[in-house]
Each structure stands twice: as structure tokens, then as C-alpha cells.
Amino acid sequence: MLLIVLLSGCEKNNADISNNTDVDVTDDQEYNLLITNNSPLFLKSVVVTVDEGNDVQINSLIDSNIKLGGVAKFPIDNGKHLFKVTLNPKDNYSVSKEFKEEFKAGEIVEYQILIEQNEVSIQKIKAIK
């Protein structure tokens, strides 16, 4: 009798676990451009301007404050793009840099913000699959 109670309890727990796997908890799948702040600057905003050609530009803006170690996330369409990253730090001058990148399905492109030789720089880290 005890064996039946134990087995029925295990079946219920397994059913609960399988139901929870249906819920996707990762939000990063919709973002394929990540910009990590590895500088001591407190960024008021990060703006990514994508040039689609024919004078069409799509602006993405993150209003939230991005501290050291914080990540700005942007959804960019797949394909080759020319885009400009503009950093707006608190109590400092804005910095921008243009990049040309090919975005592929299922791949995340990551950049980082650093201070090198007293200059703010934006460097590509890697593409994550």
C-alpha cells in the first residue's frame, strides 16, 4: 500500500515538472544585439540607429540607466546592417561609433563599452550562437 502512495506521488511531481517546461522564461531570444557597459560611466541612455538605406532610419532608445556591468539589449532584423551606437553618459560627453554587421538567425552579437587611454571605446566582443 505504501508503495502505491509513493509511486502516485512521484507521477504527480513529474507531471508538474513537465508542465513548467512549456513556459519559456528567457527574454533574450528576441534581442540579438547586446551592449555591455564595462566602464565606470553611468549611462543615461544607449541609442542604436540602424540605416536601412534610402534615407530610412530606425531608432532604438533605452531610457533606463545602465551601470557598470549593465547590458543594453536591442532587436535588429536579420541581414547586413550599417548602424551607429551612441552612448549618453551622465555628466559627460556623448560618444558614437558606426558599425557594419551581418545579423543571422539564432545569433547574438555582443559589444562592450570600455575606457582605453582616457577615451571611451565600443568594441565587438563576439557573436553567440
Side-chain angles (χ1 to χ4, degrees), residues 53-87:
N54 299 330
D55 296 326
V56 176
Q57 293 184 343
I58 301 171
N59 292 324
S60 299
L61 174 65
I62 290 192
D63 289 344
S64 63
N65 298 317
I66 303 168
K67 299 177 183 179
L68 174 64
V71 179
K73 301 175 183 180
F74 299 92
I76 306 291
D77 291 338
N78 292 332
K80 292 182 182 180
H81 297 286
L82 176 66
F83 62 96
K84 181 169 73 170
V85 176
T86 304
L87 310 174

Side-chain angles (χ1 to χ4, degrees), residues 21 23-24 27 30 35-36 65 86 88 94 96-97 100 107 110 114 123-124:
T21 58
V23 178
D24 186 24
D27 290 335
E30 61 189 74
I35 303 172
T36 304
N65 298 317
T86 304
N88 297 307
S94 293
S96 63
K97 186 174 180 180
K100 192 178 279 189
E107 189 173 272
E110 187 174 358
L114 297 171
Q123 300 175 351
K124 182 175 179 179

Side-chain angles (χ1 to χ4, degrees), residues 25-75:
V25 294
T26 57
D27 290 335
D28 287 346
Q29 291 179 356
E30 61 189 74
Y31 302 108
N32 56 352
L33 175 60
L34 304 179
I35 303 172
T36 304
N37 183 11
N38 289 328
S39 76
L41 295 175
F42 184 78
L43 301 174
K44 293 187 296 185
S45 64
V46 175
V47 179
V48 173
T49 305
V50 179
D51 186 356
E52 296 292 346
N54 299 330
D55 296 326
V56 176
Q57 293 184 343
I58 301 171
N59 292 324
S60 299
L61 174 65
I62 290 192
D63 289 344
S64 63
N65 298 317
I66 303 168
K67 299 177 183 179
L68 174 64
V71 179
K73 301 175 183 180
F74 299 92

Side-chain angles (χ1 to χ4, degrees), residues 68-128:
L68 174 64
V71 179
K73 301 175 183 180
F74 299 92
I76 306 291
D77 291 338
N78 292 332
K80 292 182 182 180
H81 297 286
L82 176 66
F83 62 96
K84 181 169 73 170
V85 176
T86 304
L87 310 174
N88 297 307
K90 182 178 181 181
D91 300 329
N92 214 329
Y93 59 94
S94 293
V95 175
S96 63
K97 186 174 180 180
E98 286 192 0
F99 298 95
K100 192 178 279 189
E101 188 74 53
E102 182 174 357
F103 291 88
K104 298 177 184 174
E107 189 173 272
I108 298 173
V109 178
E110 187 174 358
Y111 287 83
Q112 68 178 341
I113 302 162
L114 297 171
I115 295 185
E116 297 179 319
Q117 300 173 355
N118 294 328
E119 292 291 325
V120 177
S121 68
I122 307 167
Q123 300 175 351
K124 182 175 179 179
I125 299 175
K126 57 187 169 185
I128 306 165

